[in-house]
Amino acid sequence: MEIEVSSSMHLVYVSEIQQEMYDSAQRRGTGIAKRSIEYLSEKISEGNAVVATENGEWVGFCYIETWSHGQFVANSGLIVSPKFRHGGIATLIKDRVFALSREKFPNAKIFGLTTGLAVMKINSDLGYKPVIYSELTQDEEFWSGCKNCVNYEILMKKERKNCLCTAMLFVPDNNKVNEVVNNQPENQYQNEQESNLSV
């Protein structure tokens, strides 16, 4: 299997990728920002995506979006073909697109919103931390992407302060805001448990 930074040679998979994004959201009963063929094609052609293939067959995909004039980056649209699921491929794709985001936007904060435990675990392993929604981009265009989600009404009732998704954020060491993110209140319960385990 090959996991590559996208190029125009991967455009042959764009229709299949878009359809699986839609089908997957329908099966889960949650919405994701609906993306057009043109939008996904642009991401692929610009090299702002990662595509996994095996013997000429599409395996998985994820792309990069920038918000707030490049201050924030999201790794969006993570999808794996049903045929290749449950083999750890999503983790490999997330690792690669995360590395690509760091290469292209070394000073940007990388964030995600998800309801999936598997994605939360992957993000946590990459160094993301759970945060409140106000720590994310406030770019209106980003939040308008939530309109396709069945939980959008909840988000708006909560004045975009929280919803069913968990917000996660990675802040690079060279970003001074990292001091704030890492200065979150200590988990007293966890500290007590660790203390009890000490020999």
Side-chain angles (χ1 to χ4, degrees), residues 145-191:
C146 294
K147 288 179 180 177
N148 296 313
C149 182
V150 294
N151 300 315
Y152 184 66
E153 188 177 338
I154 297 173
L155 177 70
M156 297 314 292
K157 280 184 177 178
K158 297 283 189 177
E159 299 178 338
R160 283 192 343 204
K161 293 178 181 176
N162 55 55
C163 194
L164 300 187
C165 279
T166 297
M168 301 190 77
L169 183 71
F170 171 88
V171 182
D173 290 335
N174 55 343
N175 190 314
K176 290 183 180 178
V177 181
N178 198 41
E179 297 170 11
V180 177
V181 172
N182 287 332
N183 195 30
Q184 295 181 35
E186 291 185 7
N187 185 329
Q188 191 64 40
Y189 175 77
Q190 183 177 350
N191 289 345

Side-chain angles (χ1 to χ4, degrees), residues 71-116:
Q71 295 178 47
F72 288 88
V73 167
N75 298 155
S76 302
L78 175 64
I79 194 76
V80 175
S81 171
K83 178 180 175 181
F84 295 95
R85 286 177 188 164
H86 310 298
I89 293 169
T91 300
L92 298 176
I93 292 172
K94 277 284 281 185
D95 285 349
R96 186 65 190 93
V97 79
F98 179 80
L100 181 64
S101 299
R102 299 285 289 120
E103 291 163 19
K104 288 198 158 199
F105 308 98
N107 297 316
K109 290 174 270 189
I110 306 174
F111 73 97
L113 281 170
T114 183
T115 56

Side-chain angles (χ1 to χ4, degrees), residues 23-161:
D23 291 345
S24 180
Q26 292 298 304
R27 286 193 296 270
R28 294 198 314 269
T30 59
I32 57 175
K34 200 169 185 179
R35 298 305 184 198
S36 66
I37 291 287
E38 292 74 23
Y39 184 84
L40 294 175
S41 295
E42 182 181 337
K43 291 294 179 185
I44 291 171
S45 299
E46 290 175 345
N48 282 327
V50 167
V51 182
T53 59
E54 186 170 88
N55 299 322
E57 188 174 0
W58 169 72
V59 174
F61 176 77
C62 191
Y63 64 90
I64 295 171
E65 289 183 300
T66 59
W67 305 100
S68 303
H69 307 290
Q71 295 178 47
F72 288 88
V73 167
N75 298 155
S76 302
L78 175 64
I79 194 76
V80 175
S81 171
K83 178 180 175 181
F84 295 95
R85 286 177 188 164
H86 310 298
I89 293 169
T91 300
L92 298 176
I93 292 172
K94 277 284 281 185
D95 285 349
R96 186 65 190 93
V97 79
F98 179 80
L100 181 64
S101 299
R102 299 285 289 120
E103 291 163 19
K104 288 198 158 199
F105 308 98
N107 297 316
K109 290 174 270 189
I110 306 174
F111 73 97
L113 281 170
T114 183
T115 56
L117 280 175
V119 175
M120 289 180 208
K121 173 67 167 61
I122 294 170
N123 285 348
S124 180
D125 290 345
L126 288 170
Y128 289 67
K129 296 182 184 299
V131 294
I132 56 177
Y133 280 28
S134 61
E135 294 292 317
L136 308 182
T137 179
Q138 296 307 304
D139 194 315
E140 292 296 331
E141 190 178 350
F142 169 76
W143 293 101
S144 69
C146 294
K147 288 179 180 177
N148 296 313
C149 182
V150 294
N151 300 315
Y152 184 66
E153 188 177 338
I154 297 173
L155 177 70
M156 297 314 292
K157 280 184 177 178
K158 297 283 189 177
E159 299 178 338
R160 283 192 343 204
K161 293 178 181 176

